[in-house]
Amino acid sequence: MEASDGTWIRELAFEEYNFELAHQKGTFLICYRLNLSTAEPLQEQHVREALTFLHRKVPCLRMYFDQRDGDKWIREATVPNLDFKVLPDTSDYSVMDCLRTYRYNSATGPLWCARLVSDVNSCQSIQTSLHKTDDGSAYFPHSHRLFLGFHHGIVDGWTAMRICGLTVTLINDVISGKSINNDQLGEYVSPQQTMELLLARKTLIENDSELKKKWTDEINSQKGRKSFFQLIHQKPMEIEEKSLHLERELDASTTKRFFHKCRAEGITVHSAFTALAGVSLTDLVAEKGIIQDTYNIRIGHLINMRRYWKGDVSRSLGCHILAPLLQRIDTSRNVIDKFWDFARSVHQELQRKIKDGTVIEAQAFYMINYTGTEPDINFDTPVTSDYDISNMGDVTALVTEGGDHIKVTNILRSISIHKLPNTCSHIIHTFRGKFIYVLDYNTRNVSTEIAEDFCNKIFNNLLKVI
C-alpha cells in the first residue's frame, strides 16, 4: 500500500509520538499470546479472513504515521494491509522476542501483526469432542497459539484486550460460515480529554508556588538515585541488552483464596500484589547484602486515563496512558509478619493518589519544564521506579472464552522495556478464574537469575499470607 492511499486524521499526540520514537529504537512494543483450542485444526485461510474483517472493524488497526508539512500525522488506511504469517512449531519465547522488537513500517502501516503457531502433535489427533481440564474448563483437542503484536502508539492494554476478544469471535464466525457485518468495535479517540485535564492542572501548578516547589523537590530527589535492582545487579560487559520475560499463573483454587483474602482485608488485588512485590524485593536485596531497617521502594502504576474522562468511554479505542503514577512505600524487613496491615497502608495511599489525579499533576509539571521543540523520550534518564505494575483485572469478558469451534485457554501480554532506564514490569490480569502473571525485565538492570529469584519470592510470600 502506498502512503498516499490513507486519509489524514490528526497530528500525533505527545505520548503517541513518544511511542513512535521508542518503536524506532526497537522497544516499548507489545505482544499478546492467545492459547487456543479448536475442534478441527485451524486453517490459514480462516485466520487470514478473520484478520481481514478485524482490520475493517477496528479503526485503530487501520492507522499509521506519516509526515505532513514537517509534522507527524496519523493516517487511516483505506484498504486492508495485513502482516500475518503461519510459523512452524517453535518456542513462544522466540516469537514473543521477535514481536517485542519488531520494526513496523510506520509510513504505510500496518502497525500491528499476527503470527499463528500450531501444536503439530495435537493436530494429529482425530478426536473432535470437547474435553475437560482438571478445573472443569472446556477445551478442544487441537492446540494453537495466536500472537498479536502492536505498536504501542495505536493501542493500550484495554484496547488490545478488546481486539483479542473480537479476533476470537471473528475466527469462530468465519469457521461457522456466519455473515459478518462491518460494525465498528469502537471509535479511534484522540486524547483530547486527557490534554484538557493536563492543561488545567498545568495552570494550577503555575499559579501555586508551593505546589510547584513540591514537584521540583520530587524531581530533584530522583537525581542520582539507583534502583535496588541496579545496586545488586552486576552486568557482564559482553551481555546483550534485551527484554526477557517470566510467566507464572495461579490455579483457580489458589486464585480464589487470594482474591477472597483481599476482599476480607478490604483492599484490591492490585494493592495486595504491589505490597507483595515490595516485601519480596526487600527479601531479595537483604539476601544480597543490602541491610536496612526500612527500604524506600518506588513503584510505577500504569493508569487508564479514561477513568478521568467524562461520559461513556466504553467505545474509546487507542492509547490512553501517561507515564506511570509513582508511589513510594517504606518497607521493613519483618513486615511479612504484619503483611495485611502493611498492604492496607499501601492501598490507602494508592487510592488517594488515584483520586487526586497525581498522575495528571506529574505530567503537567513535566509539561511546564519541558523545553524541547517536539516530544522526546530520554533513554538515559535515571530509573524513576524500582518496578512498574500493569493490572488489567478480570479480562474474561473482554477476551471471551470462545465459541462453538474455538476456545481460549489462556492469554498473556508482554512489553519490551530494554534500551530504557526501566528495570522490570509486573504484568497481571485474571482470565477464566486464574491469576495470570508476566515479569518483563530489562537485562541492562536485571539478570535472569535475579528475575527468577524475585518472581519465586513473590509467589512464595503470596502463599504464606493467604
Side-chain angles (χ1 to χ4, degrees), residues 55-340:
H55 177 273
R56 294 177 186 171
K57 293 172 72 68
V58 184
C60 56
L61 297 184
R62 301 192 292 270
M63 303 301 160
Y64 60 96
F65 306 147
D66 198 7
Q67 291 291 127
R68 186 182 194 185
D69 299 328
D71 296 318
K72 188 77 75 174
W73 274 61
I74 296 173
R75 302 186 75 176
E76 181 176 3
T78 55
V79 295
N81 187 18
L82 299 183
D83 183 350
F84 169 57
K85 295 178 182 178
V86 177
L87 302 178
D89 196 8
T90 186
S91 76
D92 292 357
Y93 281 87
S94 63
V95 181
M96 293 176 70
D97 184 56
C98 174
L99 297 193
R100 287 185 308 220
T101 56
Y102 201 62
R103 182 58 61 89
Y104 299 97
N105 190 333
S106 299
T108 63
L111 299 183
W112 64 287
C113 64
R115 301 291 183 264
L116 179 67
V117 179
S118 300
D119 185 336
V120 176
N121 294 327
S122 75
C123 291
Q124 292 174 348
S125 170
I126 61 173
Q127 297 176 303
T128 59
S129 59
L130 203 62
H131 296 275
K132 299 283 186 180
T133 60
D134 291 340
D135 65 359
S137 301
Y139 73 100
F140 291 112
H142 302 280
S143 300
H144 313 267
R145 285 103 68 206
L146 180 65
F147 300 85
L148 296 175
F150 299 102
H151 186 304
H152 209 337
I154 61 169
V155 301
D156 54 20
W158 185 80
T159 297
M161 282 292 182
R162 293 196 66 197
I163 291 171
C164 289
L166 180 58
T167 304
V168 172
T169 299
L170 287 171
I171 294 174
N172 190 77
D173 289 350
V174 167
I175 296 172
S176 300
K178 290 183 180 180
S179 176
I180 299 173
N181 59 40
N182 284 328
D183 291 349
Q184 299 296 285
L185 178 68
E187 297 147 7
Y188 185 61
V189 177
S190 78
Q192 179 182 349
Q193 287 205 52
T194 297
M195 183 55 65
E196 290 173 355
L197 292 166
L198 288 170
L199 291 175
R201 197 63 68 100
K202 177 175 176 285
T203 299
L204 183 66
I205 297 173
E206 288 173 331
N207 293 307
D208 188 330
S209 58
E210 289 188 9
L211 193 55
K212 187 182 294 185
K213 182 179 184 303
K214 166 196 157 185
W215 282 105
T216 301
D217 292 344
E218 171 67 24
I219 298 301
N220 289 336
S221 71
Q222 297 174 14
K223 294 178 180 178
R225 185 190 186 280
K226 291 187 176 182
S227 74
F228 282 110
F229 285 104
Q230 289 175 305
L231 294 176
I232 62 176
H233 175 50
Q234 298 297 320
K235 174 188 170 185
M237 292 298 295
E238 68 277 7
I239 194 170
E240 178 187 4
E241 180 183 343
K242 62 190 304 185
S243 294
L244 298 176
H245 80 281
L246 300 173
E247 304 174 23
R248 298 285 191 277
E249 73 174 51
L250 297 178
D251 60 44
S253 176
T254 307
T255 299
K256 188 175 181 179
R257 285 169 52 207
F258 178 36
F259 286 16
H260 177 76
K261 182 64 175 175
C262 291
R263 285 193 296 271
E265 296 291 341
I267 69 172
T268 62
V269 171
H270 182 96
S271 295
F273 192 86
T274 299
L276 278 167
V279 169
S280 302
L281 181 55
T282 62
D283 292 345
L284 178 66
V285 298
E287 286 183 3
K288 298 295 183 179
I290 301 177
I291 307 300
Q292 300 174 190
D293 291 333
T294 303
Y295 300 82
N296 183 253
I297 297 174
R298 300 174 299 177
I299 305 104
H301 302 272
L302 273 295
I303 304 294
N304 180 348
M305 292 304 296
R306 296 172 185 84
R307 70 163 51 239
Y308 298 108
W309 292 5
K310 297 177 182 178
D312 180 13
V313 299
S314 62
R315 290 177 54 81
S316 300
L317 304 178
C319 181
H320 300 293
I321 57 174
L322 296 177
L325 165 63
L326 188 65
Q327 179 184 21
R328 299 171 184 265
I329 57 173
D330 289 328
T331 313
S332 60
R333 277 184 293 144
N334 59 356
V335 77
I336 192 69
D337 298 331
K338 297 180 179 179
F339 175 77
W340 290 104

